[in-house]
Amino acid sequence: MKSHRRDGESQGPGPPPSPSQQLLGILSAGPLKVVFLVLASLCAWYSGYLLAELIPDAPLSSAAYSIHSIGERPVLKAPVPKRQKCDHWTPCPSDTYAYRLLSGGGINKYAKICFEDDLLMGEKLGNVARGINIAIVNYVTGNVTATQRFDMYEGDNSGPMIKFIQSAPPKSLLFMVTYDDGSTRLNNDAKNAIEELGSKEIRNMKFRSSWVFLAAKGFELPSEIQREKINHSDTKNNRYSGWPAEIQIEGCIPKEPS
């Protein structure tokens, strides 16, 4: 049965306008709207062109990584510390001498004597051996005077070592380090000679004790200078089989005032 539309009632939605009808609607809306739409289209196209020119060519993976890393904290790398004389952690003042004494440790770790970044005695030089190793340096010039090693396990070398110590001229620095055993044949006269140079531990030396000592002949060293250290062999606490751990001392010796 057909329904009749009454006057005043709205008709249901009809079909959408065709493109031609839309164009006619735009044109009928007035020339200003047409100009506005054209300008908006041109602006949108130009903005896209500029954006494409400003963005550099890069793989998508790089772009994704850059976006991902925006919130990350920058990684700060500390500069590599500059190497100091005799491998000190901090440099010695220019008016001082740098020194570092290292005893032997076990059968494979030889003793070392470093002065002003020069290796005076060490495995690389082939001039260290079992016993007590001694280097004599001229305190005024900083030049090495002599080096010698004295076996204290075999042979009678205490006498030659006493003569070597006594041969050091006044104003000399004497550096002494042990490798392996430095006490078995160290006699009382030799201990006296080292004790006269200021050693506090020479009479406490035992079999294979690690010992280092800095002495001054003919002048006094400042009291704050580290001069001596000893470490005894202990079957319970030895780092190496039959040997205690190596020990070292280091510091800066004030030069003679000019």
Side-chain angles (χ1 to χ4, degrees):
M1 186 174 182
K2 293 183 180 178
S3 60
H4 298 279
R5 181 175 60 84
R6 296 178 181 178
D7 294 340
E9 292 182 352
S10 61
Q11 192 175 5
S18 64
S20 58
Q21 290 175 335
Q22 292 178 359
L23 180 60
L24 289 174
I26 293 173
L27 293 176
S28 62
L32 290 178
K33 289 187 177 180
V34 175
V35 172
F36 174 77
L37 290 175
V38 172
L39 290 176
S41 300
L42 289 175
C43 290
W45 173 83
Y46 188 67
S47 299
Y49 171 77
L50 288 179
L51 184 62
E53 289 295 322
L54 292 175
I55 297 177
D57 294 333
L60 291 178
S61 59
S62 300
Y65 175 79
S66 299
I67 295 173
H68 175 72
S69 61
I70 289 176
E72 294 181 356
R73 294 182 178 180
V75 178
L76 300 178
K77 293 184 178 180
V80 178
K82 181 181 178 181
R83 183 188 174 279
Q84 306 299 333
K85 290 180 179 179
C86 294
D87 293 322
H88 283 202
W89 284 105
T90 56
C92 284
S94 58
D95 59 347
T96 63
Y97 296 121
Y99 72 93
R100 182 169 180 257
L101 310 183
L102 180 67
S103 74
I107 193 65
N108 296 318
K109 292 185 178 294
Y110 287 80
K112 294 180 182 178
I113 297 176
C114 179
F115 180 76
E116 278 294 271
D117 215 26
D118 289 330
L119 184 64
L120 305 186
M121 301 190 76
E123 182 183 6
K124 291 182 179 181
L125 299 178
N127 61 350
V128 294
R130 179 179 61 190
I132 298 178
N133 301 267
I134 305 176
I136 301 175
V137 173
N138 186 306
Y139 172 64
V140 178
T141 65
N143 297 326
V144 60
T145 302
T147 61
Q148 191 58 265
R149 51 204 178 183
F150 301 95
D151 191 342
M152 289 297 157
Y153 186 75
E154 291 182 344
D156 183 11
N157 294 302
S158 288
M161 187 179 71
I162 294 172
K163 291 181 179 179
F164 183 75
I165 292 174
Q166 292 175 343
S167 70
K171 291 196 174 181
S172 291
L173 293 165
L174 291 90
F175 303 99
M176 305 183 188
V177 294
T178 57
Y179 169 66
D180 197 337
D181 178 48
S183 67
T184 298
R185 293 187 177 274
L186 183 68
N187 64 27
N188 193 60
D189 290 338
K191 292 178 182 179
N192 288 337
I194 296 175
E195 196 172 45
E196 289 175 1
L197 292 172
S199 173
K200 306 294 185 183
E201 301 287 354
I202 191 62
R203 294 193 180 275
N204 298 325
M205 185 97 72
K206 299 177 182 179
F207 178 68
R208 284 181 174 168
S209 292
S210 297
W211 176 71
V212 291
F213 176 52
L214 161 62
K217 186 176 181 180
F219 68 102
E220 293 292 330
L221 288 171
S223 58
E224 67 270 15
I225 294 288
Q226 189 177 19
R227 300 182 58 185
E228 190 173 22
K229 197 172 183 180
I230 194 168
N231 188 20
H232 301 298
S233 181
D234 184 340
T235 55
K236 295 182 179 179
N237 299 318
N238 282 343
R239 176 177 293 180
Y240 311 102
S241 178
W243 279 271
E246 62 270 39
I247 55 175
Q248 69 174 4
I249 59 175
E250 64 180 40
C252 309
I253 303 172
K255 297 179 181 178
E256 185 177 50
S258 56

